[in-house]
């Protein structure tokens, strides 16, 4: 139903316009059929892309290097975030540039200077001690929005990070998530929240703290070692942050905007002190 509604956007394309569509989504055929019906150009991208095809994504320090094909010609570009799902977005963005008449090589070079904005996966190093500036934690701010697909992608990014050991109260650095309700999912919302437990079964996350009545379904399904706190609002979580976090940890905050996970992000920032190592 969402795909059909999204496809109606194509009715607004002018004659000769291009529909740039992700060929990997399960409902791609719905969008492709609509593009055909309104006689608009269908540009496909993705791992199964017709015109722009992802071939390989390598995560490096603070970035992804992406190898792809553009109309069967080799294409290599860089994304300023160590999050593989941004590679897909980047490929779609480059397809849009080409359709608008921009130079592909210059567009790819410009994309290499991009980094996620606040609430969209931005990463920061928080210095916890103004004197001992190596006592830091890493914060991933993905607090602007959430759905099951983006939540799984964010958890995968967290799972791929490298906590620092032997620098905090807890000798082993941890991967910690603060997850808020995903809004507007319809009748299956409870099961969609609960099923996120499968996304964390095989990844090394120390603790998951859940915010909101819907996230209680995930909290109850989590294995005991990973089950952190559950509260109904972000405000209720704030007083607990100092004892839940430590130097060496990597921390993710993600949820729908209405859950106000941004207040948790701000509170973690306020635990920090400015210094030469501060990075955002």
């Amino acid at each position: 139903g969402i795909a059909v509604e999204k496809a109606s956007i194509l009715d607004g394309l002018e004659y000769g316009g291009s529909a740039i569509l992700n060929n990997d989504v399960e409902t791609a055929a719905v969008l492709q059929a609509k593009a055909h019906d309104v006689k608009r150009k269908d540009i496909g991208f993705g791992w199964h892309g017709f015109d722009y095809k992802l071939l390989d994504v390598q995560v490096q320090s603070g970035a992804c290097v992406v190898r792809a094909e553009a109309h069967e010609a080799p294409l290599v570009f860089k994304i300023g975030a160590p999050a593989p799902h941004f590679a897909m977005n980047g490929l779609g963005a480059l397809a849009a540039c080409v359709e608008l008449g921009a130079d592909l090589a210059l567009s790819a070079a410009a994309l290499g200077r991009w980094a996620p904005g606040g609430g969209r996966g931005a990463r920061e190093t928080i210095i916890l001690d103004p004197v001992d500036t190596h006592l830091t934690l890493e914060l991933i701010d993905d607090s602007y929005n959430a759905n099951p697909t983006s939540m799984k992608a964010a958890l995968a990014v967290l799972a791929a990070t490298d906590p620092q050991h032997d620098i905090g109260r807890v000798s082993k650095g941890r991967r910690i998530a603060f997850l808020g309700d995903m809004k507007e999912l319809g009748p299956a919302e409870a099961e969609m929240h609960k099923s996120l437990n499968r996304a964390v079964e095989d990844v090394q996350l120390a603790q998951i703290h859940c915010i909101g009545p819907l996230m209680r379904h995930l909290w109850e399904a989590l294995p005991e070692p990973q089950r952190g706190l559950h509260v109904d609002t972000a405000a209720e979580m704030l007083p607990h942050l100092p004892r839940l976090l430590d130097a060496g940890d990597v921390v993710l905050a993600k949820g729908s905007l209405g859950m106000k996970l941004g207040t948790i992000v701000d509170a973690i920032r306020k635990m920090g002190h400015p210094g030469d190592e501060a990075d955002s």
Side-chain angles (χ1 to χ4, degrees):
I2 294 172
V4 170
E5 187 65 23
K6 289 285 188 183
S8 68
I9 296 172
L10 304 187
D11 288 324
L13 275 178
E14 296 180 359
Y15 183 78
S18 301
I20 299 170
L21 307 175
N22 187 329
N23 290 156
D24 293 347
V25 298
E26 294 179 2
T27 50
V30 175
L31 301 171
Q32 292 161 359
K34 180 67 173 183
H36 182 267
D37 288 345
V38 297
K39 296 181 172 55
R40 299 298 182 262
K41 190 176 178 183
D42 172 12
I43 305 296
F45 71 98
W47 292 103
H48 301 92
F50 299 144
D51 305 283
Y52 293 81
K53 186 173 184 177
L54 278 176
L55 300 177
D56 184 63
V57 180
Q58 294 292 327
V59 177
Q60 299 182 356
S61 177
C64 286
V65 176
V66 186
R67 190 166 58 88
E69 288 181 349
H71 297 286
E72 300 185 347
L75 171 64
V76 177
F77 63 94
K78 179 181 174 182
I79 289 282
H85 59 283
F86 281 125
M88 182 73 73
N89 297 340
L91 188 61
L94 292 177
C97 290
V98 172
E99 289 305 301
L100 290 168
D103 181 86
L104 178 58
L106 291 176
S107 300
L111 187 61
R113 297 191 291 274
W114 172 88
R120 299 285 194 176
R123 298 169 75 139
E124 306 172 40
T125 298
I126 308 297
I127 298 175
L128 300 176
D129 189 306
V131 177
D132 200 348
T133 56
H134 80 286
L135 296 178
T136 65
L137 62 78
E138 185 175 359
L139 173 63
I140 304 174
D141 175 12
D142 209 348
S143 59
Y144 186 79
N145 210 344
N147 58 53
T149 300
S150 67
M151 189 70 81
K152 292 171 186 174
L155 289 169
V157 169
L158 176 61
T161 61
D162 294 316
Q164 300 180 67
H165 303 313
D166 300 318
I167 67 170
R169 300 186 312 270
V170 181
S171 61
K172 187 174 182 180
R174 303 163 298 177
R175 301 177 185 92
I176 297 173
F178 293 87
L179 305 182
D181 285 356
M182 302 177 290
K183 301 287 193 179
E184 300 177 2
L185 296 182
E189 60 185 8
E191 179 56 33
M192 287 183 178
H193 283 78
K194 179 181 178 180
S195 67
L196 287 175
N197 74 315
R198 293 195 288 272
V200 301
E201 282 180 350
D202 300 322
V203 296
Q204 304 267 335
L205 303 187
Q207 283 196 317
I208 299 173
H209 305 290
C210 298
I211 299 104
L214 291 173
M215 270 299 168
R216 186 170 186 90
H217 298 287
L218 170 62
W219 184 79
E220 292 174 344
L222 288 171
E224 186 67 32
Q226 290 180 314
R227 188 183 298 158
L229 297 182
H230 173 267
V231 294
D232 285 332
T233 67
E236 294 174 79
M237 186 65 75
L238 299 182
H240 301 284
L241 293 177
R243 71 175 178 84
L244 295 177
L245 302 177
D246 193 13
D249 293 342
V250 183
V251 185
L252 166 69
K254 187 168 181 64
S256 287
L257 186 61
M259 295 306 298
K260 300 182 179 179
L261 270 290
T263 61
I264 290 177
V265 171
D266 290 340
I268 295 173
R269 288 191 181 117
K270 289 175 182 176
M271 292 170 59
H273 302 269
D276 294 338
E277 293 182 19
D279 182 26
S280 65

